[in-house]
Amino acid sequence: MQNTMNLLDAALQLHPAPYWHKKLNLSRNVLHTAKIRGNLSPAVAGALAEAMGEPVEKWIVIAALESERESACKARMVRKFITGAALAGTLMASAGTATASAANTAVLESPTVYYVK
């Protein structure tokens, strides 16, 4: 599973922490504290993802799940999110390409017909 530390590491490879503190208007120790805790808050993860061009909703959900205590509900939501999102992304990517291809073929092969009332 991807985690917010992966996001933070990627951000810090792009720019140093002071850059992100200034860009996101964070106090100087927010990212350092997050590194020690081992996760980002959902708000910071979302803002960082947005600034990096990453999918914001995905990182907010990951951060929210990380901050939850271990429980059967958390385990179920992690499974649902990870397998559901991964499966949906794979299926949507495949379906999107196939659908677009079929639509383009249908448009090219069918003549345009206009009905006048």
Side-chain angles (χ1 to χ4, degrees):
M1 172 180 163
Q2 290 183 326
N3 61 43
T4 56
M5 290 298 95
N6 298 132
L7 180 67
L8 181 57
D9 290 340
L12 294 175
Q13 286 181 354
L14 292 174
H15 300 287
Y19 169 86
W20 294 113
H21 291 137
K22 185 173 182 174
K23 181 164 180 72
L24 302 177
N25 196 22
L26 302 170
S27 71
R28 288 182 346 159
N29 56 354
V30 167
L31 298 180
H32 177 71
T33 302
K35 193 88 163 161
I36 291 170
R37 278 192 347 234
N39 63 357
L40 293 169
S41 74
V44 173
L48 194 56
E50 182 179 45
M52 294 174 60
E54 292 280 327
V56 175
E57 295 83 6
K58 167 188 164 183
W59 287 107
I60 290 173
V61 169
I62 289 171
L65 287 172
E66 284 179 355
S67 67
E68 285 291 316
R69 288 186 213 177
E70 292 300 323
S71 69
C73 288
K74 177 183 178 178
R76 187 170 54 249
M77 289 300 103
V78 167
R79 277 193 313 273
K80 180 180 177 100
F81 177 73
I82 298 306
T83 59
L87 183 59
T90 303
L91 292 176
M92 290 304 288
S94 301
T97 304
T99 304
S101 177
N104 287 337
T105 303
V107 167
L108 293 175
E109 292 176 356
S110 65
T112 304
V113 177
Y114 295 99
Y115 294 97
V116 180
K117 290 187 178 183

